[in-house]
Amino acid sequence: MIKITDLEKIYRTEEVETVALNKLSLEVKEGEFVAVMGPSGCGKSTLLNILGLLDDPDGGSFLFNNIEVAHFNERKRAELRKHNIGFVFQSFNLIDELTVFENVELPLIYTGVKSAERKRRVEEVLDKMQIMHRRNHYPQQLSGGQQQRVAVARAVVNRPKLILADEPTGNLDSSNGNEVMQLLTDLNEQGTTIVMVTHSEHDARYSHRIIRMLDGQTVLENIMV
Amino acid sequence: MLKNYLKIAWRNLKRNKGYALLNMAGLALGMACALLILLWVYDELSYDKFHKNYPQLYQVYENQTYDGKTFTFSAMPGPFAEHAKNDFPEIKHITRMDWGSHHLVSLGDKHVYEPGYFVDPDFLKMFSFELLQGDSAALLTDPTSLVITDEMARKFFGTENALGKTLKVDNDRLMTVKGIVRKPPENSSIKFSWLASYKIYEQRNEWLAFWGNNGIRTYLQLHEQADPALVNKKLYNYIYEKDSSTLAKPFLFSISDWRLRREFEEGKQTGGGRIEYVRFFSTIALLIVIIACINFMNLATARSEQRAREVGVRKVMGAGRGMLIRQFFGESIVMSFAAVLLAALIVYLVLPAFNTLVEKELTFDCTNPVIWAGLPGMALLCGILAGSYPSLYLSSFNPVTVFRGLRIGKNSIIVYVRKGLVVTQFVISIGFIICTIIIYGQIQHVKQRNLGYSKDNVLQAPLRGLMNERFSVIRQDLLATGVVENAAVSNGNAMTTNSSSGDFRWAGKDPTRQVLISMEWVSPEFLSTMKMELAHGRDFYPDAQRDSNRVLINEAFAKLIGRENPVGEILYRDNNEQFEIIGVVKDFIYNDMYKKPDPCVIFCEPRGVNNLMIRLKDNQDISKATAAIEAVLKKHNPGYPFEFEFLDEEFNQHFKTEMLIGKLSRLFALLTIIISCLGLFGLAAYTAERRTREIGIRKVLGATLSNTVLLLSKDFLLLVALASVIAFPITWWVMHRWLEKYAYRIDIEWWVFVVAGLLAVVIALVTVSFQALKAALMNPVKSLRVE
């Protein structure tokens, strides 16, 4: 599903040049659950942003479903992203002005799904995430665990092939964290590919494979059994 | 999608009530202001357009050249209309019309002075004054018939049908109401309560029968296919061909220019007139809307850090930039529509006060395009204008940057844009303050000008009935009341002179030179009543007969003659009359209060004049004094209600437009400052909020209250100072050009700029320091916890 080769990303300011990804190569197969680990500043989030088509690489190749997407413009990236990729963030990133229902509905609006169908699908996924009873609440009225469940619901409502999770349990206590990890595992078992960035060895154990990064490069791969 | 945008816009407003209120208040205030101006502008532009024959209607004007200078007049020879109708197949209808005056109309004990015109029968065929009753073909032909407005009919006859009823006019003529027309609309250049046959006026003014005498207005309607340029060509020598002694060159003056483009220079339309004020106020409306939109933009972009995350999330969820631009435009348009509703309410509430200010009867009428098209149009325009930059800016956020934690640096472009917009607002506001001070100064300067006569305590009354004939005895009785210092009769009133002639000659005058001389006819007491001073010679003898062939001239005329003291010289006129100059009156200001006086000759001829001038003694109780005068006039002139006006009221009328400009300029200066300060207040609040942590740290490290207030206020004050530097030369140039119109004018003083700049800085400081103080007084422990 994902094949990146010699990927480079360099951040430049007037005075400093920082290499975030240094000729990194990686492959993720369909249905895999991959965890990316490494110390702060090793390039995990940059990698995730590029995989999520939120950012451009400065060099190298990025094949997404065998299509070279490394130099797609923003419009093309947005088009590919909204149909194929779901995101889960550490800080949830729910829109405060929208209710639970409306937050989850948002990706469907952008993909042009009709209103009745949207309602059906949002309710289905809220039900699955067991937060149906909170559908009319605003994010600030929910606990952290509930907010992340909404975020996961939003990530999966469009039935993406790939879910990118950036430290999904980073802001949660262990009990809520485990719940979210279980949700991701269930989704993976149902066929969704997952790439997760994490600092937590515990969470990484839910994955099939752990990629360890340092200074913008992969240094080790652990296959989980 | 739209529903989602509206929903989020509404919830955003609800969540940030203070911000929304500031934004809305500024925008609504600006819009209300612009709407009021647009109502005024629309009214001005709509003048006379109700006439169905509008494209074919003209007034006939004429140019006359004296001493190389061309003057334009609306007075035409009496015979012109009748002859032109026969000689010009292009003319469909033509009418003469006198200068309009109030005539006494009586019914039983009811006596009212009503304004009206003497016109030819074509008048009602050309102009669209709706005839409600009467036979149009037979109207205005018979000297005993009258056409009145429905309003006047109600005034005299109540609910009874006025048609066929009789009214007494000027106490000497019974006239039958043969037609009733609807009262002319407010936006008509021609307004009246009655119309009567021109034949009456012609009989009373036999001098009008000559081609050489210009004394009546003439209006005409061309056939639709007629070419006005061709008519003008044919008209050029038309009067000259009838009377070779006349200089008049007639031409057509289109109805579309009557209201707004009345200014002529050297015989040509300058394009100026009230249209300049229409343009001026339209520009003000636009500037005010821009100021209000700037508030919106600044407050929206200032809050961009708060909205950045939402933009990031939406982009991650699949929103393209176009979608986000539409969303933010949607929000600004929603806000703008809400503001326009508030603006409409403000307009509705303040319209009566605005009407008093501009002396109009503007209505909040839904059929008025300013309301039905202007309101949504303005909402859309402001929404797009105000939303343009924020939409482009907010939608440009990159989700990666946003999620990493967006902090807009001090040197970011958006900060410069925001500062630039604040400077723009204050350039406009400071400009208005300077304009207001200069306009006020100019009006006061002219009002305090030495006029060459005393305008205070002078009461003027039109001469009615037997007043002129019995003036001597009336004067004696007036003096006997003890309240009157002096009284005289005159054709004009020192401040206004209506007649002029180019046929004066004197010894040594170049015979090829024709110079226009103003003429005034007075009783011998005129100079003493008006407190005018003589430079040379003597005043008229009390017995007017003794000086009937002697005249006074003003200093400007003496200068024209070329001798400082021309007393004893003889003035000749083309009709072989000759007059001895017995005195030179010190120059006095008449007709145009801003110009140097033109040459003027004063005849000692109290018969046939129009005005009674009464000077009251100082410190009189006005109501008692006017009651005493009324008693005298009623005794000698029964049947005529007493009507009068103080000369200083007429004086003020000369500055009506300037005073209106002054008042509106003050009002708009105040409003622009208020709107700008609303924006500044919002920005200061935002800055204080954003720097809460920094302020906390500074306080912990020992910053004092004044250090903190200065820290937060300094940037804004620098912007206002910069705005002053930009506003000064621009406003100087604008006001310099405005003042150039006036020959008698003030110099623009440097202190005006200092005052305006300081005022703006003080107002900005007060606005900003409220927020700065609030932030500075916050407990640092609390402010550090906020972060």
Side-chain angles (χ1 to χ4, degrees):
Chain A
M1 174 176 243
I2 293 169
K3 185 174 183 192
I4 55 177
T5 316
D6 295 337
L7 205 66
E8 283 182 313
K9 181 73 188 175
I10 300 159
Y11 292 109
R12 291 183 181 90
T13 64
E14 277 172 20
E15 288 139 16
V16 192
E17 196 174 273
T18 313
V19 180
L21 295 179
N22 188 6
K23 293 195 177 295
L24 183 135
S25 298
L26 174 74
E27 196 168 349
V28 179
K29 295 206 164 51
E30 205 163 325
E32 257 196 304
F33 186 163
V34 177
V36 182
M37 297 191 73
S40 293
C42 71
K44 307 185 292 290
S45 294
T46 304
L47 173 65
L48 208 65
N49 288 336
I50 291 174
L51 293 183
L53 301 167
L54 295 175
D55 210 354
D56 270 342
D58 291 321
S61 155
F62 175 12
L63 294 175
F64 187 89
N65 281 340
N66 296 319
I67 301 165
E68 180 58 69
V69 297
H71 303 295
F72 266 24
N73 62 24
E74 195 192 323
R75 196 179 54 77
K76 276 183 165 176
R77 291 209 308 261
E79 198 56 33
L80 194 63
R81 188 167 63 224
K82 69 184 176 189
H83 288 109
N84 295 287
I85 307 170
F87 290 84
V88 179
F89 303 94
Q90 177 181 359
S91 52
F92 325 134
N93 280 336
L94 298 173
I95 296 178
D96 294 339
E97 287 77 17
L98 297 181
T99 62
V100 165
F101 184 95
E102 290 159 353
N103 263 292
V104 177
E105 187 189 24
L106 206 56
L108 298 176
I109 292 176
Y110 289 131
T111 42
V113 177
K114 293 268 182 300
S115 171
E117 173 66 4
R118 285 205 304 264
K119 187 168 181 285
R120 194 188 63 73
R121 278 167 65 175
V122 173
E123 281 176 355
E124 185 184 295
V125 74
L126 288 179
D127 207 26
K128 205 161 150 186
M129 301 292 158
Q130 296 170 9
I131 39 169
M132 189 61 180
H133 61 294
R134 294 288 210 168
R135 54 175 290 170
N136 291 324
H137 287 83
Y138 287 91
Q140 58 273 28
Q141 295 170 306
L142 307 180
S143 71
Q146 286 171 327
Q147 286 192 48
Q148 195 59 302
R149 266 193 277 162
V150 176
V152 174
R154 185 179 63 181
V156 301
V157 72
N158 228 355
R159 295 167 188 158
K161 295 185 181 75
L162 172 67
I163 286 182
L164 298 173
D166 192 356
E167 301 200 35
T169 63
N171 281 359
L172 301 177
D173 57 30
S174 61
S175 151
N176 278 315
N178 287 339
E179 266 184 46
V180 168
M181 285 317 299
Q182 195 51 56
L183 276 174
L184 292 176
T185 309
D186 294 347
L187 286 169
N188 178 245
E189 279 168 6
Q190 286 155 25
T192 312
T193 310
I194 294 177
V195 177
M196 173 181 75
V197 163
T198 182
H199 275 122
S200 160
E201 291 288 349
H202 171 265
D203 290 353
R205 270 187 233 118
Y206 285 87
S207 68
H208 303 151
R209 182 155 60 107
I210 302 174
I211 295 168
R212 295 190 189 270
M213 284 180 69
L214 186 68
D215 297 336
Q217 289 176 313
T218 52
V219 289
L220 194 66
E221 275 196 36
N222 303 112
I223 310 292
M224 308 300 290
V225 268
Chain B
M1 190 83 84
L2 185 68
K3 201 174 138 198
N4 187 272
Y5 293 160
L6 292 176
K7 199 156 44 187
I8 206 150
W10 171 243
R11 287 180 192 164
N12 248 316
L13 295 183
K14 251 176 48 180
R15 219 175 140 210
N16 302 286
K17 288 192 195 79
Y19 153 81
L21 201 70
L22 272 183
N23 235 346
M24 194 94 89
L27 205 53
L29 210 54
M31 283 173 164
C33 227
L35 277 171
L36 285 173
I37 295 174
L38 285 182
L39 280 173
W40 182 87
V41 166
Y42 179 76
D43 183 72
E44 288 291 327
L45 295 177
S46 72
Y47 257 71
D48 299 319
K49 291 209 172 124
F50 64 94
H51 293 297
K52 287 187 187 77
N53 302 319
Y54 184 82
Q56 286 86 39
L57 290 173
Y58 298 88
Q59 185 174 356
V60 187
Y61 269 38
E62 57 174 43
N63 284 329
Q64 293 179 30
T65 304
Y66 295 94
D67 204 20
K69 193 167 163 50
T70 304
F71 300 87
T72 301
F73 301 96
S74 57
M76 294 292 294
F80 176 86
E82 275 175 318
H83 284 257
K85 195 170 183 182
N86 293 327
D87 295 343
F88 287 79
E90 296 90 342
I91 297 176
K92 190 173 182 182
H93 297 299
I94 194 161
T95 180
R96 287 161 292 189
M97 186 169 98
D98 74 316
W99 302 96
S101 52
H102 286 67
H103 286 253
L104 183 68
V105 181
S106 311
L107 181 71
D109 291 339
K110 189 168 193 153
H111 305 278
V112 185
Y113 290 108
E114 292 284 357
Y117 295 112
F118 296 101
V119 293
D120 285 311
D122 276 2
F123 182 89
L124 286 172
K125 294 173 191 154
M126 304 162 50
F127 295 116
S128 305
F129 297 113
E130 190 189 350
L131 185 66
L132 300 171
Q133 279 181 284
D135 175 9
S136 63
L139 293 175
L140 302 169
T141 49
D142 169 12
T144 61
S145 74
L146 202 59
V147 174
I148 62 173
T149 62
D150 51 348
E151 187 187 60
M152 182 169 158
R154 275 194 300 276
K155 196 186 278 180
F156 281 90
F157 303 104
T159 51
E160 274 183 65
N161 188 355
L163 206 67
K165 298 266 180 3
T166 305
L167 288 166
K168 197 176 191 183
V169 179
D170 290 335
N171 272 341
D172 67 350
R173 180 186 289 262
L174 284 173
M175 297 183 83
T176 309
V177 177
K178 290 280 179 68
I180 297 173
V181 291
R182 197 178 297 287
K183 183 192 167 194
E186 280 304 315
N187 58 358
S188 172
S189 293
I190 301 172
K191 292 195 181 91
F192 56 85
S193 289
W194 56 263
L195 297 169
S197 169
Y198 179 73
K199 285 177 188 164
I200 303 169
Y201 193 77
E202 199 171 33
Q203 282 162 12
R204 289 177 186 172
N205 297 278
E206 286 171 358
W207 59 276
L208 271 174
F210 302 98
W211 280 95
N213 292 340
N214 298 300
I216 195 76
R217 288 186 283 187
T218 305
Y219 297 85
L220 59 82
Q221 180 193 344
L222 292 181
H223 283 287
E224 274 178 39
Q225 62 276 23
D227 176 6
L230 199 67
V231 176
N232 267 333
K233 212 169 169 186
K234 285 162 73 178
L235 272 174
Y236 187 73
N237 275 323
Y238 185 69
I239 296 177
Y240 179 76
E241 283 160 11
K242 302 288 180 188
D243 179 352
S244 59
S245 68
T246 173
L247 301 167
K249 304 291 181 197
F251 64 92
L252 300 177
F253 179 44
S254 168
I255 191 171
S256 58
D257 294 340
W258 291 358
R259 175 72 181 174
L260 298 173
R261 295 175 191 84
R262 293 189 76 92
E263 272 184 19
F264 287 86
E265 212 174 282
E266 284 301 320
K268 292 201 170 65
Q269 263 185 283
T270 61
R274 278 182 87 84
I275 191 72
E276 286 167 18
Y277 294 113
V278 169
R279 287 193 202 112
F280 177 67
F281 285 123
S282 303
T283 310
I284 287 179
L286 186 67
L287 288 178
I288 290 178
V289 165
I290 288 175
I291 285 186
C293 287
I294 285 177
N295 272 1
F296 189 99
M297 288 192 215
N298 275 349
L299 292 174
T301 55
R303 289 182 63 252
S304 53
E305 281 176 25
Q306 281 161 275
R307 297 211 63 184
R309 199 170 59 94
E310 178 196 332
V311 173
V313 173
R314 285 184 182 273
K315 281 198 170 175
V316 167
M317 294 301 129
R321 192 169 176 199
M323 285 177 179
L324 289 168
I325 289 176
R326 281 198 293 278
Q327 177 191 336
F328 290 119
F329 264 126
E331 282 184 25
S332 67
I333 289 170
V334 166
M335 177 83 101
S336 187
F337 267 92
V340 95
L341 291 178
L342 190 60
L345 181 71
I346 296 172
V347 169
Y348 181 77
L349 293 174
V350 304
L351 197 56
F354 185 70
N355 275 336
T356 311
L357 186 74
V358 300
E359 293 176 21
K360 278 190 187 280
E361 290 178 23
L362 307 172
T363 52
F364 195 86
D365 175 3
C366 291
T367 59
N368 186 330
V370 174
I371 303 298
W372 64 258
L375 284 178
M378 190 174 287
L380 211 58
L381 177 81
C382 289
I384 291 170
L385 189 65
S388 56
Y389 191 68
S391 313
L392 293 173
Y393 176 67
L394 287 169
S395 63
S396 71
F397 287 149
N398 180 344
V400 177
T401 322
V402 166
F403 295 143
R404 216 184 282 143
L406 179 82
R407 289 298 280 183
I408 293 163
K410 238 179 140 179
N411 296 322
S412 151
I413 290 174
I414 187 67
V415 176
Y416 284 116
V417 170
R418 205 149 55 219
K419 284 181 176 174
L421 291 173
V422 170
V423 169
T424 308
Q425 279 186 315
F426 273 87
V427 166
I428 298 170
S429 303
I430 294 166
F432 271 125
I433 297 176
I434 296 170
C435 290
T436 304
I437 299 174
I438 292 174
I439 292 171
Y440 179 79
Q442 168 67 3
I443 294 171
Q444 290 310 310
H445 179 64
V446 183
K447 279 183 143 186
Q448 284 155 12
R449 184 179 189 183
N450 179 12
L451 296 174
Y453 49 88
S454 163
K455 64 176 173 28
D456 301 319
N457 281 335
V458 176
L459 185 148
Q460 54 178 341
L463 290 170
R464 307 269 186 200
L466 301 168
M467 280 163 75
N468 194 192
E469 204 176 294
R470 294 184 184 171
F471 169 64
S472 293
V473 59
I474 287 174
R475 181 168 181 272
Q476 289 312 315
D477 281 2
L478 286 173
L479 294 174
T481 58
V483 296
V484 173
E485 187 180 312
N486 209 343
V489 291
S490 57
N491 204 48
N493 60 8
M495 198 174 284
T496 314
T497 297
N498 297 317
S499 301
S500 54
S501 173
D503 67 358
F504 285 96
R505 286 175 284 114
W506 54 87
K509 184 187 173 226
D510 176 355
T512 60
R513 241 179 120 185
Q514 275 196 301
V515 188
L516 202 62
I517 310 291
S518 299
M519 299 185 290
E520 181 60 71
W521 292 266
V522 302
S523 67
E525 310 82 6
F526 184 73
L527 257 60
S528 52
T529 301
M530 296 311 297
K531 297 196 171 169
M532 294 161 95
E533 288 178 27
L534 281 166
H536 303 286
R538 65 165 176 91
D539 196 353
F540 293 126
Y541 290 129
D543 177 5
Q545 290 281 336
R546 289 181 63 187
D547 282 329
S548 61
N549 56 354
R550 297 191 180 101
V551 292
L552 298 169
I553 61 171
N554 68 351
E555 288 175 307
F557 198 173
K559 197 173 166 193
L560 182 74
I561 289 174
R563 280 178 284 281
E564 195 196 327
N565 183 2
V567 170
E569 299 263 343
I570 304 294
L571 284 182
Y572 303 91
R573 295 195 71 182
D574 283 351
N575 55 7
N576 294 323
E577 285 178 310
Q578 43 182 285
F579 301 90
E580 181 194 349
I581 300 170
I582 56 163
V584 177
V585 184
K586 283 191 178 171
D587 269 343
F588 57 97
I589 310 301
Y590 66 94
N591 289 359
D592 189 335
M593 297 294 121
Y594 299 99
K595 272 186 13 187
K596 284 182 183 165
D598 290 324
C600 179
V601 58
I602 303 171
F603 298 94
C604 186
E605 177 52 272
R607 287 169 302 174
V609 294
N610 299 317
N611 274 311
L612 171 62
M613 311 297 293
I614 301 167
R615 176 171 294 282
L616 299 179
K617 287 182 177 168
D618 288 341
N619 305 319
Q620 291 299 313
D621 179 326
I622 298 298
S623 56
K624 282 184 188 159
T626 50
I629 293 166
E630 183 175 11
V632 171
L633 294 180
K634 281 218 164 141
K635 181 178 141 199
H636 294 288
N637 193 37
Y640 286 87
F642 176 48
E643 51 171 344
F644 68 95
E645 184 192 28
F646 281 98
L647 193 59
D648 52 4
E649 286 170 11
E650 185 182 319
F651 180 71
N652 284 336
Q653 288 291 313
H654 282 272
F655 307 99
K656 210 172 149 187
T657 311
E658 281 77 12
M659 281 164 81
L660 173 69
I661 301 290
K663 278 193 260 178
L664 289 177
S665 179
R666 268 204 298 279
L667 177 71
F668 295 137
L670 184 70
L671 281 169
T672 49
I673 281 282
I674 290 175
I675 298 170
S676 303
C677 285
L678 279 177
L680 205 58
F681 187 82
L683 278 184
Y686 159 77
T687 309
E689 185 189 314
R690 198 171 169 267
R691 296 176 79 173
T692 303
R693 185 163 172 270
E694 177 196 341
I695 294 164
I697 296 169
R698 282 176 185 272
K699 282 184 82 174
V700 169
L701 296 175
T704 61
L705 185 71
S706 54
N707 290 149
T708 318
V709 171
L710 187 68
L711 174 80
L712 290 172
S713 310
K714 185 180 69 185
D715 285 353
F716 289 109
L717 294 185
L718 281 175
L719 295 183
V720 177
L722 176 64
S724 301
V725 172
I726 298 170
F728 289 168
I730 298 172
T731 322
W732 179 87
W733 182 77
V734 171
M735 291 321 287
H736 182 73
R737 285 201 56 189
W738 181 73
L739 284 169
E740 267 182 342
K741 282 200 314 188
Y742 305 106
Y744 187 76
R745 59 176 181 250
I746 53 168
D747 291 325
I748 301 177
E749 304 276 357
W750 61 268
W751 62 260
V752 174
F753 298 94
V754 176
V755 167
L758 281 177
L759 197 63
V761 167
V762 169
I763 292 170
L765 186 66
V766 171
T767 310
V768 173
S769 58
F770 175 79
Q771 295 292 356
L773 266 174
K774 210 170 105 183
L777 289 171
M778 202 184 225
N779 182 344
V781 176
K782 201 173 159 194
S783 46
L784 288 173
R785 202 168 52 221
V786 166
E787 284 289 307

